[in-house]
Amino acid sequence: MSLSKIKHIVLVLSGKGGVGKSSVTTQLALSLSLAGHSVGVLDVDLTGPSIPRMFAIEDAKVTQAPGGWLPITVHEADPTSGLGSLRVMSLGFLLPGRGDAVVWRGPKKTAMVRQFLSDVFWEELDYLLIDTPPGTSDEHISLAETLLQKARPDQVAGAVIVTTPQAVATADVRKELNFCTKTGIRILGVVENMCGFVCPNCSECTNIFGSGGGEVMADDFNVKFLGRVPIDQQFIVLVETGKRPRYPEGTVINGQDISAAAKEAEAEEAKRDTAQLVLKYKDCSLAPIFKTITADVVSAVEQGGA
């Protein structure tokens, strides 16, 4: 069975669209890989599959194997550096072009989600992250039902809930928390995304969407608040162009001066810009933030399985 070699399954959910579930999924996957875990990402956002673009593998083609599909490899494991493998599966790989619309009714969406969960041949994985569409509709119900039927009781570790700080977002995300309660999905924690904007010139962080809404919501539901994640233009540049993040001199994140990495990058630009995405991500200001978030998620998963 497709899920038989997977230790832990983590859902990335939100009742609101546009809050950055795919960027959170991407950075959780990169951070888990950097921590030495073997990781898979399954993109079940059928009408807006953005995971292939986030990992810069849009042109990759899925290989058909007897009885199913082989996921796309982002990078292999490197035991010498402590790097875990990373593989991805998305409907985006099966579409003829990036702009092709997926116009499906509920039953076909349900069938596709079930096929993704049963017909993708994952190798041994420590974590499978499932990136979901917004809302609590067909895909979510099908996902919950299929996991309940096909996954072992200890496999589904829980869900990471993503929101932005504004009340208009948290009002919808609260419905996702209620969905998890009704379907028996454990909540690993809440991430407050887009909490502040990092200026590309001076690195000052401004709370353009406010701050604290996600933490208040987490407190209201008595679940763990995993942290705040600002908007960093350099992460967008990394994803869109593949260029390594660079910051003004004196940029300090979590007590670490990350502008030094930019100086090194200038000296070895040609060599460093051909590096793997996961290695370039280490120079992003969001990397230390997600390192902490990922450690908390791993801790919650391990405590739940104890």
Side-chain angles (χ1 to χ4, degrees), residues 11-30:
L11 310 179
V12 181
L13 302 172
S14 178
K16 189 70 174 174
V19 298
K21 289 182 299 300
S22 294
S23 69
V24 169
T25 302
T26 299
Q27 293 181 85
L28 282 174
L30 293 173

Side-chain angles (χ1 to χ4, degrees), residues 52-293:
R53 185 165 189 175
M54 299 297 292
F55 286 104
I57 50 175
E58 281 185 294
D59 295 331
K61 299 299 180 184
V62 171
T63 301
Q64 184 78 34
W69 297 302
L70 298 178
I72 300 298
T73 299
V74 179
H75 61 254
E76 295 287 0
D78 183 5
T80 58
S81 63
L83 185 70
S85 62
L86 177 55
R87 290 178 171 80
V88 173
M89 184 61 195
S90 170
L91 182 64
F93 297 128
L94 306 177
L95 299 176
R98 177 193 293 179
D100 290 353
V102 177
V103 186
W104 290 353
R105 294 186 185 274
K108 193 165 185 178
K109 288 183 179 181
T110 297
M112 189 75 251
V113 170
R114 288 176 177 168
Q115 190 171 2
F116 269 153
L117 290 174
S118 61
D119 293 352
V120 179
F121 295 132
W122 300 104
E123 297 182 2
E124 296 281 348
L125 292 180
D126 294 324
Y127 288 90
L128 175 65
L129 305 180
I130 302 182
D131 185 32
T132 65
T136 55
S137 55
D138 294 313
E139 294 96 325
H140 300 79
I141 297 170
S142 175
L143 187 61
E145 288 178 346
T146 306
L147 287 175
L148 187 63
Q149 294 169 1
K150 296 194 173 185
R152 301 187 306 271
D154 61 331
Q155 269 187 305
V156 183
V160 173
I161 308 297
V162 183
T163 187
T164 50
Q166 315 98 301
V168 69
T170 57
D172 286 342
V173 178
R174 286 171 182 269
K175 299 171 186 175
E176 195 74 44
L177 290 165
N178 285 321
F179 171 83
C180 290
T181 301
K182 290 180 179 179
T183 55
I185 297 173
R186 179 173 167 240
I187 300 168
L188 300 174
V190 173
V191 173
E192 187 176 294
N193 200 26
M194 305 185 195
C195 183
F197 170 72
V198 179
C199 176
N201 297 314
C202 67
S203 296
E204 181 180 349
C205 188
T206 303
N207 294 324
I208 55 177
F209 294 136
S211 177
E215 186 171 10
V216 170
M217 182 184 71
D219 288 342
D220 288 346
F221 281 83
N222 195 28
V223 297
K224 185 174 180 61
F225 179 67
L226 294 170
R228 298 182 177 88
V229 181
I231 301 170
D232 183 0
Q233 188 183 23
Q234 289 299 308
F235 174 71
I236 300 169
V237 170
L238 171 63
V239 170
E240 293 288 344
T241 70
K243 292 183 179 179
R244 188 179 292 267
R246 299 180 181 180
Y247 300 92
E249 187 173 354
T251 303
V252 177
I253 301 293
N254 287 359
Q256 178 183 352
D257 186 351
I258 63 172
S259 58
K263 296 175 184 177
E264 295 174 11
E266 290 175 2
E268 303 179 20
E269 181 174 358
K271 176 182 176 182
R272 292 166 68 85
D273 278 353
T274 59
Q276 295 173 325
L277 173 68
V278 67
L279 300 180
K280 295 177 184 177
Y281 176 68
K282 291 171 68 176
D283 286 345
C284 181
S285 73
L286 303 183
I289 296 173
F290 267 92
K291 182 178 181 180
T292 301
I293 290 173

